[in-house]
Amino acid sequence: MNQIDKFAEIIKLSKSIVFFGGAGVSTESGIPDFRSKDGLYNQHDIQFDQYSPEYLLSHSCLYHNSPVFYEFYRQKLNTADIQPNPAHYFLTKLEKTGKLKAIITQNIDGLHQKAGSQNVLEIHGSTYRNYCDRCGKQYPYDYIFQSKEAVPHCQCGGLIRPDVTLYEEALPQEAVYHSIQALRQADLLIIGGTSLTVYPAASYIREFHGKYLVVINRDPLNIRLRENDLEINDSIGQVFSQLEKRLDL
């Protein structure tokens, strides 16, 4: 039995599946990841080269160097015209079977929802939400991208910022709570498109104690596998496209 057939069999045997994904899920839609050689952190731009990537997406930059933060954000993180790829659509179809209980994503691009998934837990927030940091007023997705103000402000004088977890900020507790609960109740955890190097998010998979673990990543991960576990080093879109045929979704 090859790996895809074994993966399909595991899904058929499972009743409560959780998917934990990272930037690799969206790279096939044309969104660069962060740390690969072609990733966002390695894109040289004379306008931003004097700053570290971590600083450009930090709480400090947002509040102490706001014009630079918003310029970087507008140039690099606008995904309005990006479409979901086969990996996103596969997960939507799997969710409709009732087996997939939650998608835990480190991505902030909203592509899971755009593909039709319902129970998406965004542990790093989303560029699709903006709010005033003073009065809490909500602003539409494109407000920051379309604003003529270099640094957008609310009528109350507060800063209009994306609902994204920046460096130096705590993760959203409600999303973290529901993620941990889903992991504890799952009998299959699928980890896809993540290097598991971003903490504390990566640490949450320790809450999983179910029967099956499947890891899909182009490069091998340094993760301990048990007898029933499976690691597939391939494109997540390719893997899910083959799975979809096996499962007749």
Side-chain angles (χ1 to χ4, degrees):
M1 183 181 295
N2 66 31
Q3 287 186 309
I4 301 298
D5 289 333
K6 184 177 179 182
F7 193 0
E9 191 63 27
I10 289 172
I11 289 177
K12 290 175 183 176
L13 293 171
S14 302
K15 296 179 180 178
S16 181
I17 303 171
V18 169
F19 177 79
F20 183 97
V25 179
S26 294
T27 53
E28 292 170 44
S29 289
I31 298 176
D33 62 12
F34 288 87
R35 291 172 176 79
S36 72
K37 64 182 179 63
D38 298 316
L40 192 63
Y41 287 1
N42 291 310
Q43 292 179 2
H44 294 293
D45 188 323
I46 193 169
Q47 187 175 5
F48 305 116
D49 276 353
Q50 62 182 300
Y51 308 105
S52 73
E54 290 82 3
Y55 174 74
L56 289 164
L57 291 173
S58 71
H59 180 94
S60 294
C61 187
L62 172 62
Y63 285 99
H64 303 301
N65 203 350
S66 300
V68 169
F69 174 87
Y70 282 99
E71 184 61 27
F72 183 81
Y73 183 82
R74 288 182 175 111
Q75 286 191 30
K76 305 295 186 181
L77 296 178
N78 187 351
T79 60
D81 296 327
I82 303 294
Q83 298 304 314
N85 63 58
H88 298 104
Y89 288 118
F90 171 82
L91 291 168
T92 298
K93 292 173 183 177
L94 188 60
E95 184 183 64
K96 288 179 179 177
T97 69
K99 286 178 175 282
L100 180 61
K101 305 301 183 183
I103 294 170
I104 303 170
T105 181
Q106 300 172 85
N107 297 336
I108 58 176
D109 52 43
L111 291 183
H112 286 295
Q113 292 92 330
K114 194 178 282 190
S117 292
Q118 299 296 314
N119 192 18
V120 182
L121 301 168
E122 297 170 311
I123 54 177
H124 289 158
S126 173
T127 59
Y128 274 74
R129 297 185 299 271
N130 303 293
Y131 67 94
C132 171
D133 67 355
R134 181 179 295 179
C135 72
K137 180 180 177 180
Q138 302 290 310
Y139 284 83
Y141 163 75
D142 61 354
Y143 190 89
I144 290 175
F145 297 115
Q146 300 297 329
S147 176
K148 291 183 170 54
E149 286 187 280
V151 178
H153 287 88
C154 180
Q155 288 181 335
C156 76
L159 197 65
I160 299 170
R161 59 160 292 174
D163 189 8
V164 169
T165 305
L166 304 174
Y167 288 100
E168 306 161 353
E169 294 182 337
L171 271 57
Q173 289 306 299
E174 184 176 358
V176 169
Y177 171 79
H178 288 297
S179 296
I180 289 173
Q181 293 305 307
L183 287 164
R184 288 174 176 173
Q185 294 166 16
D187 55 8
L188 165 59
L189 172 61
I190 303 170
I191 298 174
T194 175
S195 59
L196 294 178
T197 57
V198 178
Y199 284 82
S203 66
Y204 299 144
I205 65 170
R206 297 172 188 161
E207 302 293 337
F208 171 72
H209 300 289
K211 188 173 183 180
Y212 303 106
L213 170 67
V214 177
V215 179
I216 311 163
N217 202 57
R218 288 184 181 274
D219 301 312
L221 297 184
N222 184 22
I223 187 170
R224 181 177 296 176
L225 298 177
R226 305 163 303 178
E227 184 178 356
N228 291 320
D229 297 341
L230 186 63
E231 182 171 15
I232 303 174
N233 298 129
D234 200 351
S235 152
I236 191 168
Q238 291 284 345
V239 171
F240 282 171
S241 293
Q242 293 176 65
L243 260 185
E244 189 171 333
K245 295 173 185 175
R246 303 289 203 289
L247 297 170
D248 195 27
L249 293 181

